[in-house]
Amino acid sequence: MIKIIKCFFFLLLVLLFLNGCNPSNVNEDIFQFKDSYVGDNGAVGNITMRLPSPNGEHLNGLELKTTKEPYGIILNYKKADTPEEIEKNYKETAIYNATFIFALVKNADWVTFNFVDQEYRITREKLQKWYGKNLREFTNEEDLAKLTQEFLADKGKVSQFFRE
């Protein structure tokens, strides 16, 4: 009987340990990382993991440029092993992801997106001018996503953003 009890508690301990290792924070609000800094690789990594990837690609790493101002982030993508069903445009993905990074990371001045066959660099100044809003003023994901989707719906505006 004692062996059964010991075995039960051992299994319970293993299950509790495995549950503690579960990455349940993936669904948490991305705005918990608001006011992060480029130098905080944990926060920037968590932000970028929650952002969408285009055309069956996935984030393959990031570089934080913190040695001199202006500070920036480089996101490197690579081809995924299996294609995703959702196809996204590189330009739209870059704008969407940069919008969230600039809203959440205080001192990020630019972001470079290295996709498999395209590279885009977006600055905070240019993106905020495009929106006509200070992205730092947003306090929740819903309002920021609504603004972003509103602007991304106009393909002409998106194309114009990258021509300027």
Side-chain angles (χ1 to χ4, degrees):
M1 179 72 175
I2 292 182
K3 283 186 176 183
I4 293 173
I5 293 173
K6 283 183 180 179
C7 191
F8 172 77
F9 281 115
F10 176 74
L11 288 174
L12 182 64
L13 181 64
V14 168
L15 289 173
L16 287 173
F17 175 76
L18 290 175
N19 189 43
C21 294
N22 185 6
S24 60
N25 64 345
V26 170
N27 294 325
E28 290 180 12
D29 182 19
I30 195 169
F31 268 78
Q32 70 179 314
F33 300 105
K34 186 160 176 63
D35 296 329
S36 300
Y37 290 92
V38 172
D40 185 349
N41 63 345
V44 174
N46 274 299
I47 291 167
T48 57
M49 283 186 345
R50 289 169 167 79
L51 296 173
S53 298
N55 300 329
E57 296 175 24
H58 64 273
L59 190 62
N60 188 38
L62 62 109
E63 301 172 46
L64 306 177
K65 300 299 182 179
T66 61
T67 54
K68 62 180 181 172
E69 291 187 45
Y71 301 124
I73 301 168
I74 300 173
L75 300 175
N76 299 305
Y77 293 84
K78 75 173 190 174
K79 200 69 160 170
D81 295 332
T82 56
E84 293 178 354
E85 293 178 14
I86 300 173
E87 291 187 16
K88 294 197 179 272
N89 183 298
Y90 288 142
K91 291 178 180 179
E92 292 172 356
T93 300
I95 289 172
Y96 185 90
N97 291 356
T99 299
F100 274 83
I101 289 169
F102 294 142
L104 298 170
V105 182
K106 270 186 174 182
N107 62 339
D109 295 311
W110 56 268
V111 182
T112 297
F113 296 89
N114 291 323
F115 298 115
V116 171
D117 49 5
Q118 191 67 46
E119 178 181 302
Y120 294 104
R121 183 182 177 109
I122 298 176
T123 66
R124 176 188 297 274
E125 182 181 344
K126 183 177 179 181
L127 192 59
Q128 289 185 153
K129 183 179 176 185
W130 188 63
Y131 285 125
K133 295 189 181 281
N134 180 351
L135 297 174
R136 299 281 310 132
E137 294 175 357
F138 284 85
T139 58
N140 66 70
E141 184 175 356
E142 184 180 322
D143 291 343
L144 187 58
K146 182 179 175 184
L147 171 76
T148 307
Q149 293 303 327
E150 184 180 305
F151 274 72
L152 292 178
D154 185 340
K155 303 301 180 202
K157 270 188 175 179
V158 172
S159 293
Q160 181 184 3
F161 176 83
F162 287 100
R163 279 193 302 260
E164 295 177 346

